[in-house]
Amino acid sequence: MMVGVVVACSSVSSIKALWETRIRRRREEHEEEHKRRTTRGGATGRLGVGLWEDRAALARLKQKLEIEDGRLVLRIEQEEWKVLPGCLIQLSQVQEWQIHRTGLLKIPHFISSFQNLLVLDLSRNGVAEIPKQIGKLTRLRELLLSYNRIPFVPAELSGCESLERLELAMNRDLNELPDQLGTLSRLQHVDLSMNDFSCLPACLLALPALEWLDMGGNCLHHLPEDIHRMEVLHTLWLQRNELEKLPENIARMRSLDTLVLSSNRLRDIPPLMEGMSSLRFVNFRDNPLTLDVTLPSRKAVAEEEEEEDDREMFGKEFMLMYIQEARKRAYAVLNVHCVNQSDGESNDESSA
């Protein structure tokens, strides 16, 4: 009987010791967890707050979604969004970003996840960098980043093989484009106005589909001699630069119908431009041209609209008259020289 009691007591003692050990370990684990939380300053609590903030931001972003022309558009106007939250990646089906005047400071690197993106319009913000990841957007058609602070365009942008429109006006310190952009076979429209370019980027000459180019308000001192390589270019804005002369090959730009050259330092107009039959509108105003040419007066017209249309054609008419006048004066100088030379020869014969 005593043996049974001893065995029973031993069993109870063993079970008690086991439970005490388990309780002690559980208590130690709780203490360690409490220490970790205290050391991190309540990181777990902040994580919960972060998740809540992401959900709130995502709900707010969803309110900015619109359907326009069959596209899903994210439109944010004149609100403060200096940074786009990471939860935006959950809206990767968006096809167009329209984010203006929000103070946005950078394009997030997760932009590469938006494979359906067709238009990225972040004009009038504070963006200072185009991330290399943008080159993964092979379906992107329009990249509009005018009025930002971008000083550099990455070569990776050439990966946007569907790009048709690129606008980088008024980024001020921007003064070059990578040669790799010349491979963008669909790029038609480029706006580089009001920057710091001193010459026409070489990659523009290689673009086979370029039709419209604005380089106004830069520091261009000259144009490339092979400018005629831009075979399909029909509109070229070069106002407010420092051009002193035009290359002769500009006359070989057969598709060019609009050429704006106001407020430069041009001294003459190339005579070959007389043969540019496709040129519809040209403007040479506010240039220190050598010859003072005045168009003949016209009969007064009654309608102001007609007067405006009449003034629009002033540039081409002026150009043709200037070239004709320059040719006349050149012939006159040549004739005078020939006459003087003949008189000199006659006097020499008489003396002999």
Side-chain angles (χ1 to χ4, degrees):
M1 185 69 178
M2 289 297 294
V3 173
V5 172
V6 172
V7 171
C9 290
S10 298
S11 298
V12 171
S13 298
S14 298
I15 293 173
K16 181 180 179 181
L18 178 63
W19 277 103
E20 286 178 346
T21 301
R22 288 180 177 178
I23 291 170
R24 185 175 65 254
R25 287 179 179 175
R26 181 66 59 85
R27 186 182 297 115
E28 289 173 354
E29 289 175 356
H30 279 300
E31 288 176 355
E32 289 179 1
E33 179 65 21
H34 178 70
K35 288 180 181 179
R36 283 198 296 270
R37 289 183 179 182
T38 303
T39 303
R40 294 176 182 176
T44 304
R46 286 205 304 273
L47 181 60
V49 172
L51 289 173
W52 180 86
E53 289 177 344
D54 281 349
R55 289 173 183 171
L58 185 60
R60 188 180 171 196
L61 286 168
K62 287 181 178 179
Q63 293 177 353
K64 306 297 181 183
L65 295 178
E66 302 176 4
I67 300 293
E68 187 174 302
D69 296 330
R71 294 181 186 175
L72 185 59
V73 180
L74 175 65
R75 189 182 304 280
I76 307 176
E77 305 278 353
Q78 298 184 357
E79 296 181 15
E80 186 173 339
W81 288 78
K82 293 184 177 180
V83 178
L84 295 173
C87 62
L88 178 58
I89 201 171
Q90 297 183 46
L91 304 177
S92 59
Q93 71 273 23
V94 172
Q95 296 170 288
E96 185 169 334
W97 288 16
Q98 293 283 349
I99 302 177
H100 307 145
R101 300 180 186 275
T102 67
L104 187 67
L105 297 177
K106 66 177 183 177
I107 302 173
H109 289 180
F110 59 73
I111 188 69
S112 59
S113 298
F114 288 78
Q115 290 297 307
N116 294 320
L117 201 61
L118 302 177
V119 177
L120 180 57
D121 186 353
L122 305 178
S123 303
R124 299 185 182 278
N125 285 293
V127 177
E129 179 187 9
I130 301 176
K132 296 179 179 180
Q133 289 82 353
I134 202 168
K136 296 181 180 180
L137 302 180
T138 56
R139 298 183 63 191
L140 188 68
R141 296 178 189 171
E142 299 183 17
L143 177 60
L144 313 178
L145 291 168
S146 294
Y147 292 87
N148 277 281
R149 301 174 184 173
I150 296 167
F152 175 76
V153 175
E156 285 76 7
L157 183 59
S158 61
C160 299
E161 56 190 32
S162 300
L163 197 64
E164 298 175 1
R165 188 182 188 100
L166 175 63
E167 294 191 359
L168 293 166
M170 196 61 178
N171 278 279
R172 297 183 182 178
D173 294 331
L174 185 63
N175 58 20
E176 63 179 351
L177 294 180
D179 291 340
Q180 290 87 341
L181 296 193
T183 63
L184 294 173
S185 60
R186 300 183 184 181
L187 189 56
Q188 302 173 11
H189 179 114
V190 176
D191 188 350
L192 298 173
S193 60
M194 294 179 287
N195 285 299
D196 198 31
F197 287 90
S198 59
C199 61
L200 206 69
C203 63
L204 297 181
L205 299 176
L207 295 173
L210 187 62
E211 297 180 355
W212 194 98
L213 174 62
D214 190 345
M215 293 286 294
N218 278 277
C219 305
L220 299 181
H221 293 279
H222 66 276
L223 297 176
E225 291 297 329
D226 57 347
I227 192 171
H228 60 287
R229 288 174 56 195
M230 296 190 284
E231 296 180 354
V232 298
L233 191 73
H234 61 68
T235 300
L236 179 57
W237 294 80
L238 295 169
Q239 74 281 7
R240 297 192 308 280
N241 278 284
E242 300 176 14
L243 298 172
E244 296 184 1
K245 61 176 293 187
L246 298 176
E248 293 288 342
N249 280 331
I250 197 170
R252 297 174 60 185
M253 300 180 73
R254 302 304 180 192
S255 300
L256 196 64
D257 68 8
T258 299
L259 175 61
V260 181
L261 291 159
S262 54
S263 300
N264 275 277
R265 299 180 180 180
L266 296 173
R267 303 291 298 173
D268 284 300
I269 301 174
L272 290 177
M273 289 184 69
E274 186 178 34
M276 297 179 70
S277 57
S278 61
L279 197 60
R280 182 187 62 85
F281 176 67
V282 61
N283 194 327
F284 286 96
R285 293 180 186 273
D286 301 318
N287 278 280
L289 294 170
T290 303
L291 303 180
D292 185 11
V293 175
T294 303
L295 287 174
S297 59
R298 294 188 168 204
K299 295 180 180 180
V301 289
E303 299 292 335
E304 291 184 3
E305 292 183 0
E306 292 182 9
E307 290 181 359
E308 187 63 32
D309 291 340
D310 185 59
R311 283 196 295 270
E312 183 177 332
M313 295 305 297
F314 172 85
K316 184 174 181 180
E317 211 172 315
F318 172 82
M319 180 189 77
L320 295 175
M321 179 164 285
Y322 187 96
I323 293 172
Q324 291 170 8
E325 184 64 24
R327 186 179 293 115
K328 288 178 183 178
R329 297 194 185 191
Y331 287 151
V333 170
L334 181 61
N335 289 335
V336 169
H337 176 71
C338 291
V339 169
N340 290 337
Q341 189 174 14
S342 298
D343 290 343
E345 291 176 355
S346 299
N347 291 334
D348 290 341
E349 291 177 358
S350 299
S351 298

